[in-house]
Amino acid sequence: MLDYLVVGSGFAGLSLAYRLRDAGFTVQVLEAGSDVGGTWYWNRYPGAYCDIESLEYQLGLPTLLQQEWRWQGKFASQREIEAYLQFVADRLELRPMIQFSQFVEKAQWDESTRTWQIATRQGLAVAARHVVFATGCLSKAQYPRIAGLDTFRGQLLHTGAWPREGVDFTGKRVAVIGTGSSGVQVIPEIARQAQRLYVFQRTANYVLPVRNELLSDDELARRRAAFVQERKAAFRSPAGVAADAPLDRTDPALTPEKLEAELERRWNAGNAFSFLGALPDVFVNLESNRIIADFFRKKIRQIVQNPVLFEKIVPRDYPIGAKRLCLGMHYYDALQKPNVEVVDISQSGIQQISASSIQTAEAAYEVDAIVFATGFDAITGALAQIEIKANGQTLRDAWAQGAHAYLGVLVSGFPNVFLVTGPNSPSVFGNVVVAIEQHVEWIVRLACTLRDQGKIRLEVARDVEEQWRTQVNAIAKDSIFKMTETQSWYMGDNVPGKPREFLPYLGGFGAFQEICDASAERGYPGIERK
Ligand code: NAP
């Protein structure tokens, strides 16, 4: 029987496969896609790239990876990240451990044998002592429920499940629904090809322009030499990335002019974390938040000349950062092209879809293709679609009133299950690769401790898990996420019926690392082992 069955072969699954095998465990990976990559396998829409710098968005262990892989640009495209993950799988000889095109549908705990029985849609059955779900936070595509959608006769696409063979929009009339991080990336690319592009915008978003640039050999050599130190710093940082420190609001020398100049500098640098983090209390103080948002609006006004278009697309409805800040290359330029029209659906939404059109309260838009850039059932969606069952209860049911996991990894009632970047952990509230590594290291260390103690079953105590959840909620309580009614995948309420709750841990990557380290050093209190 296997020691560990890992579900998923993105950053987390590959990292786990390597680290668990290295620690002497038997490991098998099941992957739904036909190759490695996870999120970066499925999100292959044109214009997809990462909003975190490539040199920070890579695995830390083993160190040979950073020395051997050459990133081309400051920001990496989906293609480059996918190629990187293929390189990781090949270089670390992980492929023999992975079975592709296997969608895990069920995982059933057998208390009598203390094993998990795993079944895939394709008919594979595997028994393992432990299961690790490395299924990703933004991997279950979310399609809106719109009347008549099933009658549409043109092409239907979702940015999160883009066809491998690509799509040619030449000469077509295309609708993009959604203007979040995925929408603002795909829109300029489709605008380049399509005869006509309708952008259906429900909420105007803050889109920070970024300029990509090639990495010189000198810069690469310098960063490679510094990587280990930089990664250590990332573990201790607020968001798992290197960013400029916040300004000191109490400093009398920080005049409004100096603040403006500093915001301008951070805007030009195109680093979301430096820009948003210019004022330390941007997530908890609406006045500080407004200063940054006002600056943002002023910048958009400078880019968008047409006052009617500006009024349509300027974000006013929510504090900056309450939805994840989008990074875009040429987004505002694309909206000003003659073949592009922004359709404001903030008031009455989309009424209906017919065989060939999208209808709003004001007009019908004839289209050949609809692209849903409508996001994900985030953090819990990929897990809830699997029937994970232990002692008569499914994980889906356990989370019916809100998701919870001790440190984002362990769920009471589900022995020998590990999540990676689950609810109540920093996860996607920053650099997810660093969050993944925090979890992978903690899981592998705990796995080794269990083995060294001669135990085969572990489960977190319910009260310990509950205390952690209370702590996570207490931190979020006074934040802009709770102060306003802003809907987002952070809060889970972008999915109808999903309980509204701030899912990530907001205390920062550094604080989270200290908590994880303290748990390990104190012998994992609250985690019962038999
Ligand atoms: P998202 O941020 O959840 O955005 C979804 C968009 O679809 C929003 O504009 C939303 O409008 C709209 N929408 C949803 N349902 C709708 C409906 N029924 N009618 C009309 N509009 C609807 O999803 P995403 O853009 O895929 O991004 C999700 C996350 O993935 C990001 O926040 C980011 O963390 C990650 N991501 C990162 C990158 C990157 O690294 N550059 C790229 C893509 C994604 P409302 O705002 O009104 O709800």
Side-chain angles (χ1 to χ4, degrees), residues 138 140-143 158-160 177 182 372-378 489 494:
L138 296 159
K140 168 86 168 40
Q142 173 70 17
Y143 292 82
H158 193 293
T159 48
I177 301 178
S182 305
F372 291 106
T374 44
F376 303 90
D377 182 351
W489 59 262
N494 64 323

Side-chain angles (χ1 to χ4, degrees), residues 108-112 116 389-394 413-415 457 459:
Q108 168 89 43
W109 171 247
D110 182 343
E111 188 65 56
S112 62
W116 279 95
K389 197 168 187 183
N391 304 316
Q393 193 188 27
T394 64
F414 293 84
R457 185 191 193 280
E459 184 179 348

Side-chain angles (χ1 to χ4, degrees), residues 264-335:
E264 183 75 32
R265 188 186 71 74
R266 292 176 187 230
W267 170 277
N268 289 328
N271 178 320
F273 299 93
S274 293
F275 179 78
L276 208 50
L279 297 180
D281 51 358
V282 66
F283 288 115
V284 292
N285 181 332
L286 287 173
E287 178 51 24
S288 296
N289 191 287
R290 194 189 51 76
I291 292 172
I292 296 185
D294 281 349
F295 177 86
F296 211 112
R297 287 186 271 269
K298 200 170 68 187
K299 296 305 288 184
I300 300 175
R301 187 69 189 92
Q302 288 168 9
I303 305 169
V304 179
Q305 314 293 327
N306 179 332
V308 177
L309 179 64
F310 171 75
E311 280 308 323
K312 228 186 228 184
I313 63 172
V314 66
R316 296 196 197 277
D317 295 346
Y318 68 96
I320 188 167
K323 291 175 188 271
R324 176 136 171 163
L325 186 66
C326 303
L327 264 69
M329 290 181 197
H330 314 299
Y331 175 64
Y332 293 117
D333 299 336
L335 298 187

